[in-house]
Amino acid sequence: MDRLVKPDVKEVEFCFTKGEKCSATFTLANLMHTMSVAVCLTSSNPSVFSFSQDFSVIPPLSSSSYTISCKSSDQPPLSNPSDKISVRSAMVPIGNSHTDDLRLLFSKHGRHIFKDALLLISFVGPDVVEFLISHHNRITELSFLFNKAISSCTKSQLTALMEPAILSGKLGLVSALIDAGVDVNVKDSLKRSMMSLAVMTGKIDIVKRLIDSHCQIDFSVDLVLHIAASMNRVDFMELLVKKFPDILVNSVDSNGRTPIHTAAARGHVEAIRFLLSIGGNPEAVDRNKWTPLHSAAAEGHFEAVEYFLNCSNVKYAVNSDGKTAFALASENGHTDLFDSLRLGDALHRAARAGDVRGLRSCVAAGAKINGKDQNGWTALHRAAFKGRVECVKALLEHGADTDAVDDAGYTPLQCAVESGQEEVARVLLASGAEPNPLKCLRRDLAVSGRQISSLCCGN
């Protein structure tokens, strides 16, 4: 004989609700026609589970129901492998036996004791799903429990769990809920779509899963480009622009900031470069009239500042407080930006005007001696072209490059020759300036009755 009793289920399910006691019921049927059967119930975790009756007697061809209770109410006592109920049985000639007699009966080992069944214990319901999501670091270990837990949930219950599943960053959880039929277009408390939350996780596989599931974006609320720009995730932005052609690259948040403002405030040059390539406006202003350059300068992001200076014309734009990008950098002590935002200009102005004192002051304050303007001119180019001999000497003293070339390929010496500044040319040559570039000019420029070209030819 294989067994004496037969359970009505293979798995006992607890519908767990946090804060409430839970229990489950199952039935055992006596398969004997003439004999009563004694039953002993035990669990693999007796500290958590208890039975309404550990020992009982079932009359011939009768059934009896049993209740198993869970002592934990704060959280489902999940385990891997799952806990089990062991059902053992024995024939008894007398229909009724005292509990002590049954305990003694099952304490003896022998052929008269049958192991009729092992019933798995499982936990189901939305509170179990939520618990597993909150412990997502163990989800690989407990994935089979997750799939079981969601099996008894309604679609509305599972849809309510979509947000924490996405924020967990686990594709497996999100996919399981989607496969179970959740509404992927549910909104969070801020009316944002699940796509916004997915982008926040930084998990592109979840974003792709939502796109494939036809998750929609409300461009007035879902600032997905802002979120991606804040993380410098060009791959996200490329995917979003491709899949949502109507996305607005210059969309603004509640403060009027565009995605470029967001990237600028964090110094993400890669994101800035991409946004500009798809039509982003580097001169956009927010509600306080801050340009992206203001945002980058205020936070001290040197590379971003340099990038905006090369692609926009807002160096001297003022915000609603009347402050330029330089003023914000100065307020926040970002001295490495001074040269790019103002000192370089002041140095060039001093060189052009012949203001040696101002020139030295700029250099002392940190101005880059070889810094170039939009045409590639250094301060030495300007001083040479204007014939400011003392400024030329001062610049050379501080390490100015005599052979720096502008965007057209001209050196300071060529500028001096072009403008007929003989004395400056002599100073530059004496300081080691390369005379060969003058040969390509082949121009006779009369200065004080003499030809500048003779300075290099030795005539």
Side-chain angles (χ1 to χ4, degrees):
M1 182 178 293
D2 294 328
R3 57 183 177 174
L4 302 179
V5 297
K6 179 181 179 181
D8 62 337
V9 294
K10 293 182 179 180
E11 189 170 348
V12 177
E13 292 185 356
F14 283 86
C15 188
F16 181 87
T17 300
K18 187 176 181 180
E20 298 181 8
K21 293 182 179 180
C22 63
S23 59
T25 301
F26 61 96
T27 299
L28 297 176
N30 182 353
L31 300 177
M32 302 297 295
H33 290 263
T34 59
M35 298 288 291
S36 295
V37 173
V39 173
C40 173
L41 301 176
T42 57
S43 75
S44 57
N45 193 352
S47 64
V48 174
F49 301 101
S50 61
F51 297 92
S52 55
Q53 46 185 335
D54 298 328
F55 302 97
S56 66
V57 175
I58 307 175
L61 294 179
S62 298
S63 298
S64 183
S65 295
Y66 301 87
T67 298
I68 179 173
S69 299
C70 175
K71 300 176 184 178
S72 174
S73 61
D74 293 333
Q75 64 183 44
L78 305 175
S79 63
N80 184 23
S82 299
D83 287 318
K84 298 178 179 64
I85 298 171
S86 176
V87 179
R88 294 190 298 158
S89 62
M91 291 184 290
V92 290
I94 303 175
N96 294 310
S97 296
H98 192 274
T99 300
D100 290 339
D101 295 329
L102 296 177
R103 183 177 289 108
L104 179 62
L105 172 65
F106 285 104
S107 66
K108 297 178 180 179
H109 297 284
R111 296 178 63 185
H112 65 288
I113 303 296
F114 292 79
K115 295 182 179 179
D116 290 87
L118 279 176
L119 306 180
L120 292 177
I121 295 175
S122 62
F123 290 86
V124 299
D127 283 5
V128 179
V129 178
E130 185 175 13
F131 174 81
L132 287 168
I133 290 173
S134 66
H135 292 73
H136 58 81
N137 290 333
R138 297 177 58 200
I139 197 60
T140 301
E141 173 190 353
L142 302 177
S143 59
F144 71 100
L145 298 178
F146 184 82
N147 292 327
K148 178 64 181 179
I150 66 177
S151 64
S152 67
C153 298
T154 65
K155 289 184 179 180
S156 61
Q157 288 174 331
L158 294 179
T159 297
L161 296 170
M162 193 64 173
E163 180 177 343
I166 289 176
L167 293 178
S168 75
K170 294 292 184 179
L171 176 62
L173 297 179
V174 176
S175 292
L177 292 180
I178 292 176
D179 292 341
V182 303
D183 178 8
V184 295
N185 286 307
V186 65
K187 307 292 184 180
D188 70 1
S189 59
L190 299 177
K191 307 301 182 183
R192 297 174 301 185
S193 74
M194 294 297 101
M195 190 67 70
S196 285
L197 303 184
V199 175
M200 288 179 189
T201 67
K203 303 293 185 180
I204 198 167
D205 52 355
I206 295 180
V207 172
K208 290 179 178 178
R209 185 69 167 91
L210 288 176
I211 290 174
D212 292 341
S213 302
H214 309 293
C215 182
Q216 300 300 311
I217 293 179
D218 181 350
F219 297 125
S220 66
V221 179
D222 294 304
L223 303 177
V224 288
L225 286 183
H226 288 76
I227 299 170
S230 71
M231 300 186 294
N232 204 27
R233 292 297 298 270
V234 174
D235 55 340
F236 272 19
M237 291 189 284
E238 289 176 336
L239 177 63
L240 292 167
V241 169
K242 179 180 179 181
K243 296 297 183 179
F244 299 96
D246 296 332
I247 201 165
L248 303 175
V249 65
N250 290 309
S251 59
V252 297
D253 62 15
S254 59
N255 294 308
R257 300 188 184 107
T258 66
I260 297 181
H261 280 92
T262 300
R266 290 165 175 76
H268 296 326
V269 176
E270 294 84 357
I272 294 169
R273 185 180 295 112
F274 175 77
L275 290 166
L276 292 178
S277 73
I278 60 172
N281 182 8
E283 300 182 1
V285 294
D286 66 13
R287 288 187 176 180
N288 294 315
K289 295 186 178 180
W290 279 45
T291 66
L293 178 61
H294 281 98
S295 299
E299 298 299 327
H301 298 304
F302 180 82
E303 289 187 27
V305 166
E306 290 288 310
Y307 195 86
F308 284 121
L309 289 176
N310 289 327
C311 69
S312 65
N313 190 32
V314 293
K315 188 174 187 176
Y316 299 107
V318 295
N319 61 17
S320 57
D321 295 323
K323 295 178 180 179
T324 63
F326 173 81
L328 295 175
S330 180
E331 284 181 359
N332 293 297
H334 303 308
T335 56
D336 58 328
L337 300 180
F338 288 3
D339 180 74
S340 298
L341 293 173
R342 195 172 80 174
L343 287 178
D345 292 345
L347 178 66
H348 280 239
R349 286 196 299 271
R352 184 176 64 247
D355 181 4
V356 177
R357 183 176 180 180
L359 185 150
R360 293 186 185 279
S361 177
C362 289
V363 173
K368 294 180 181 178
I369 199 71
N370 291 309
K372 295 184 177 183
D373 65 9
Q374 67 274 18
N375 297 312
W377 274 31
T378 65
L380 188 58
H381 280 89
R382 292 195 174 278
F385 185 78
K386 285 292 186 177
R388 309 302 187 186
V389 177
E390 295 305 317
C391 281
V392 168
K393 292 178 179 179
L395 289 166
L396 293 173
E397 288 175 12
H398 287 93
D401 183 1
T402 58
D403 295 319
V405 294
D406 65 10
D407 293 348
Y410 276 61
T411 66
L413 180 57
Q414 288 174 281
C415 288
V417 172
E418 282 276 289
S419 60
Q421 307 297 343
E422 179 184 357
E423 188 175 357
V424 169
R426 289 184 181 280
V427 171
L428 290 171
L429 286 168
S431 296
E434 173 59 53
N436 289 334
L438 288 175
K439 294 180 181 180
C440 69
L441 292 177
R442 297 300 183 187
R443 296 175 183 171
D444 295 330
L445 301 175
V447 178
S448 300
R450 302 162 63 182
Q451 292 184 329
I452 291 295
S453 62
S454 66
L455 293 172
C456 301
C457 301
N459 296 329

